[in-house]
Amino acid sequence: MLVKRDIRRRVDRAAAHFDEADFVHAVTREGLLERLDPLVIDVRTVLDLGAATGSTGRALRKRFRRTHVVSLDLSRPMLMRARRSWLATVSRVQADAERLPFADGAFDLVVTNQLLPWLPDPAQVFSEVARVLKKGGVFAFATLGPDSFRELATAWAAVDDGSHVNRFADMHDIGDALVRARLQDPVLDVDRLSVTYGNPDKLFADLTRAGGRNSLADRGRGLVGRTRFQAMTEALAGTDPDGRIRLDLELVYGHCWGCGPGVDATDFRVDATRIPLRR
């Protein structure tokens, strides 16, 4: 389980250099946009969840003309980082994706690029997306699958029994959660991305600049120590014949449709035309 407070602190600190290390976000951003192309949807309002420095929001604004984009993130430093390049038709909102400050059915399109890996439980966010999405609107997302960072997890496992690497949700579990949130007809697919590093220093520098360091609740609270860390990096380098570090990422893309605001369980409605006449 992830600790939201720790995630926010790491992301706040990463804001200044996030754009230098967001190449995975850039790949999945393009994948998201490509998968939106075949969809027939009249887009006037867009919500970019987990917007970071706003790259996805700006790309959506260029893709869908005459559209108002709302970029939402929990981190104020992330939102402030892109203030100079913000378009007039893009709004910034600092808020929690689990408690969206918007009216029911406010958006035609909700997009999130790599927010789901940071969520302790995506179910509440999916429910909020279903609430603010118009009937017939689209929710599109990119996330990481359980095969991501397996090499890093294996290298740590060779050193100790601690929790060092996040456990990413399976594609089928995500699909089930979307359906439970009343989002309709989910379609998911998987792509792969391999990233190679010449040395561990560059790898962990990129993870730090992207805010991707350990935020697990059951992680060890003490320092890892130079000896253990060196043993881990040696095990990690041993996964490639030439000693380089290769990480394989499982990229999961999905989209589904909104069905409009839900009906309160205590709200009973009867169609008067179906009441039989009393004889």
Side-chain angles (χ1 to χ4, degrees):
M1 180 69 73
L2 293 165
V3 179
K4 187 184 297 184
R5 179 187 65 254
D6 294 341
I7 293 171
R8 181 173 182 175
R9 184 173 66 250
R10 284 168 170 75
V11 173
D12 284 351
R13 292 174 178 173
H17 301 286
F18 180 81
D19 290 337
E20 301 169 14
D22 72 339
F23 52 88
V24 174
H25 293 74
V27 169
T28 52
R29 179 170 61 248
E30 291 303 314
L32 266 176
L33 294 174
E34 290 174 4
R35 286 162 175 78
L36 286 174
D37 281 341
L39 303 183
V40 179
I41 179 174
D42 182 20
V43 179
R44 291 290 180 267
T45 52
V46 177
L47 175 60
D48 177 19
L49 277 181
T53 57
S55 298
T56 300
R58 291 191 294 272
L60 290 167
R61 179 61 185 83
K62 293 178 181 178
R63 177 65 60 92
F64 300 104
R65 301 292 182 180
R66 299 183 301 278
T67 296
H68 182 199
V69 176
V70 176
S71 290
L72 180 145
D73 202 278
L74 188 61
S75 171
R76 178 177 173 82
M78 280 288 188
L79 293 173
M80 295 301 293
R81 186 69 185 172
R83 179 174 56 180
R84 297 176 186 175
S85 60
W86 229 268
L87 302 173
T89 50
V90 178
S91 301
R92 292 171 293 141
V93 175
Q94 182 187 3
D96 190 336
E98 294 183 345
R99 295 185 294 274
L100 297 177
F102 308 115
D104 295 358
F107 296 96
D108 302 301
L109 174 64
V110 178
V111 172
T112 182
N113 183 24
Q114 297 302 338
L115 170 66
L116 302 187
W118 302 101
L119 299 176
D121 180 7
Q124 178 61 31
V125 173
F126 290 162
S127 294
E128 280 291 270
V129 168
R131 181 182 65 79
V132 302
L133 195 60
K134 291 180 180 178
K135 184 175 183 179
V138 171
F139 173 43
F141 60 88
T143 186
L144 297 178
D147 285 343
S148 301
F149 295 107
R150 283 283 179 88
E151 300 86 353
L152 190 57
T154 300
W156 273 117
V159 175
D160 61 32
D161 297 327
S163 296
H164 297 278
V165 181
N166 189 18
R167 295 169 288 275
F168 304 103
D170 181 84
M171 177 174 67
H172 303 290
D173 292 335
I174 293 173
D176 291 343
L178 292 169
V179 172
R180 287 195 297 270
R182 299 179 62 255
L183 290 160
Q184 298 181 327
D185 303 325
V187 176
L188 294 92
D189 68 280
V190 173
D191 204 350
R192 303 281 173 173
L193 176 67
S194 293
V195 183
T196 303
Y197 288 92
N199 61 76
D201 292 341
K202 182 64 167 64
L203 164 61
F204 287 100
D206 278 354
L207 288 174
T208 299
R209 287 184 292 192
R213 300 306 291 264
N214 193 348
S215 296
L216 293 167
D218 57 348
R219 70 184 186 277
R221 296 297 171 172
L223 296 175
V224 171
R226 182 177 301 177
T227 301
R228 273 197 297 161
F229 187 78
Q230 183 175 350
M232 183 277 296
T233 57
E234 289 174 355
L236 187 60
T239 61
D240 193 273
D242 62 2
R244 295 173 66 83
I245 297 172
R246 172 175 169 172
L247 298 178
D248 292 321
L249 304 181
E250 181 183 11
L251 310 180
V252 178
Y253 298 94
H255 70 268
C256 50
W257 301 84
C259 62
V263 177
D264 192 305
T266 62
D267 185 9
F268 296 95
R269 301 184 182 185
V270 177
D271 183 353
T273 63
R274 301 179 68 87
I275 300 175
L277 295 175
R278 185 173 182 179
R279 300 183 182 280

